Amino acid sequence: MTPLLKAALFATAAPVFFSGMSMLIRHVSSELHALEIVFFRNLLALMWMTPWLLKVGVGGMRTKRFGMFGIRACISVVGMTAGFWAITEMPISEATALSFLAPIFATVGAALFLGEDVRLRRWTAVIVGFLGAMVVLQPGAEMIRFGAILALINAVAAAGNKLVLKSLARTEPAEVIITYMVLLLTPMTFIPALFVWVTPSWEMLGWMVLLAGCGTLGHYAITRAYALADLTVVMPFDFTRLPITALLAFLLFAEIPTIWTWIGGALIFASTFYIARRESQLARARALEAQLAKVV
């Protein structure tokens, strides 16, 4: 199979696993707080990675980029906690739609903090994306809910996470990236979990094993997709999370997404896809200029 086809397959699988994880988060939240769910998600993910770790040994975890793994862990603990908590506080389809704001926040952050030249067309796409978020949130209808604030925090953290992950995926195997994440996040999420601790039943523990498996497989799939293809290839597949999540939420929890969720989600996706496409074009142009400069 070509790298592009492999990337498409991984990019197709990732939304399925992440949508399943969202359903399981909502299910186990009937007994456990989101802070505790986040801890068990990382602790049990270690179980899923143990066979690979035993196979490669400690030598398989050698890296020269531990600092980047540490940065990703700090970003991930904020994003994962906010994202899990949002799913327990608001309709799942709305939380999913708002998660697509991540590339928009990444563009704004690159302009404000990295000095990147963002011109009119990308700023227009950013504005369209934020308008889409307003359509989903409808702040004029009622005060913005706690769950929506958490979803926005998750999107901001996901923006930083995507940039770090794309960088790590160029040099590190997907298994190493995932294992370092859960190794670092397990102790980081344990202390917050203690404040809301409830010993889970065996049934809920079983569901959380499945939840951790979905999260681990989803991260593996998306990491492999990023390593094999550009963001413009991966992103359209990622958007399928919204219809998959909406369908599962309807079947399992009788949640019916509003028309505003679909309209806002479509606006957010259109803007983020344009931003990713434009950034890919600019990157190719810069690479071509660099090659021409070497020839000259």
Side-chain angles (χ1 to χ4, degrees), residues 39-125:
F39 165 68
F40 274 108
R41 179 258 181 270
N42 290 289
L43 176 67
L44 295 171
L46 282 174
M47 179 192 73
W48 285 89
M49 297 308 299
T50 297
W52 174 83
L53 196 55
L54 291 174
K55 179 181 178 181
V56 301
V58 177
M61 293 292 291
R62 288 198 184 98
T63 181
K64 295 180 180 179
R65 308 187 69 187
F66 187 77
M68 289 293 285
F69 284 112
I71 292 172
R72 185 179 183 232
C74 293
I75 296 172
S76 294
V77 73
V78 174
M80 189 180 294
T81 301
F84 278 37
W85 203 341
I87 289 172
T88 68
E89 295 284 339
M90 68 186 302
I92 304 174
S93 56
E94 289 185 21
T96 302
L98 293 174
S99 72
F100 295 120
L101 285 169
I104 296 173
F105 284 125
T107 300
V108 174
L112 296 179
F113 302 112
L114 301 180
E116 184 176 315
D117 184 19
V118 178
R119 299 186 179 180
L120 180 61
R121 282 186 286 182
R122 278 198 285 171
W123 278 123
T124 302

Side-chain angles (χ1 to χ4, degrees), residues 197-250:
W197 188 268
V198 174
T199 302
S201 63
W202 286 108
E203 179 187 351
M204 285 299 171
L205 195 58
W207 286 118
M208 284 193 292
V209 170
L210 187 58
L211 185 158
C214 285
T216 301
L217 292 171
H219 276 99
Y220 176 81
I222 201 66
T223 302
R224 294 284 287 129
Y226 283 146
L228 291 165
D230 290 338
L231 282 173
T232 49
V233 176
V234 177
M235 281 187 62
F237 293 95
D238 186 43
F239 188 70
T240 60
R241 276 193 296 127
L242 183 54
I244 293 171
T245 298
L247 176 61
L248 291 175
F250 172 72

Side-chain angles (χ1 to χ4, degrees), residues 153-195:
I153 293 172
N154 173 54
V156 173
N161 206 346
K162 283 180 183 293
L163 297 175
V164 177
L165 180 58
K166 186 64 179 176
S167 174
L168 285 171
R170 294 193 184 104
T171 60
E172 310 296 322
E175 295 88 349
V176 172
I177 294 173
I178 295 169
T179 304
Y180 267 116
M181 184 186 76
V182 295
L183 277 172
L184 294 172
L185 260 63
T186 298
M188 292 173 70
T189 55
F190 177 62
I191 294 176
L194 290 176
F195 291 95

Side-chain angles (χ1 to χ4, degrees), residues 241-286:
R241 276 193 296 127
L242 183 54
I244 293 171
T245 298
L247 176 61
L248 291 175
F250 172 72
L251 294 175
L252 299 174
F253 305 109
E255 284 188 6
I256 302 176
T258 66
I259 186 64
W260 303 114
T261 300
W262 292 108
I263 294 173
L267 286 172
I268 293 170
F269 171 73
S271 63
T272 56
F273 181 74
Y274 176 80
I275 289 170
R277 183 172 178 273
R278 184 61 181 161
E279 288 176 352
S280 179
Q281 290 173 339
L282 293 174
R284 284 195 294 268
R286 286 192 292 266

